[in-house]
Amino acid sequence: MQNSDFRDGCAFVRGNFVPIADAMIPITDTGFTRSDVTYDVVAVWDGKFFRLQQHLDRFEKSWQAIDMRPGVNQAQVREVLHQCVSKSGLRNAYVEMLITRGVPTAGERDPRNFINQFYAFAIPYIWIADAQEQQQGVDLVISKTAERISPQSVDPTVKNFHWGDLNRGLREALEAGAKTAVLLDNDGWVTEGPGFNIFAFVDGRLVTPASGVLLGITRQTILDLANEQGIDCEIGELGVKQLQSADEIFLTSTAGGVMPVRSLDGQVVGEGKPGPLTMSLRELYWREHGGDRWTEPVAYGDPQTKISLLAS
Ligand code: PLP
């Protein structure tokens, strides 16, 4: 049930639901001190989760990949997420789930001995690009100062907090008067940026990088929709020259959907405004948020829902 304390958001911390402003983790949690954490973010739009099952599957894959034992299963995570949104009463929400390695006991250096912690929270929906930017397109740069961390070091398919490279690219973009940056890998291929995947429409094909990136759920949704529209898609290598010659470029993220790019390194992309393919995929993407096939209504105040989680 909605409670005014939860109006700005609701978090699940160590077995309890608390107002977002009161949600705290111990300062020694290695999720904070060592970025030893994995997480996922799902959107709620107009009272419905979008592609929740895909987010839960990716989250579980991530926690298994880095040997976390969260003490919860998918069904319990789902229930907590419903409760966080329900308690907040939010109709459009940004819903995050996390597992941290946890707090070491004094002197303990072996992470296998830590008790992993599951957290979650729901806050008002976040837009990487605001409504005006989405209508006009955002200015993108290719980062010259930051290279994407090698997948051999940090697996980008396991959603993570190793944002040193992405943050550096973002600062570079902002200093250059742009909105955000895309990073290249060590071989010079285009990868992704702070919180988004990238697509380029080149020579009549929609291209998105195959590797060195998070397998974004929004990226997958765009591939699904584009395939249904009979648009030729390629999941492969995306080079700088291809990006520079693209007729359209857009970014995809749970936090903002499909975001058109109007300039790349100060050069106009296409006609310098969102292109027709980008806008039609964007329209289809948001239309699906009101449909049934990929949505799950939030259990607002559902008396059937019982939290079966144990406080840890
Ligand atoms: N790439 C990175 C590095 C991200 O952090 C995100 C989302 O936060 C994405 C891509 C987009 O993924 P999704 O569409 O699942 O939100």
Side-chain angles (χ1 to χ4, degrees), residues 39-41 55 58 94 148 156 159-160 163 166 192-197 213-219 252-255:
Y39 76 114
D40 217 291
V41 176
H55 286 277
R58 184 173 69 181
Y94 174 103
R148 189 76 180 106
K159 206 164 153 63
N160 64 70
W163 270 51
L166 299 172
E192 59 186 343
F196 58 80
N197 292 112
V213 298
L214 177 72
L215 302 177
I217 308 294
T218 320
R219 168 182 178 273
T252 61
S253 174
T254 295

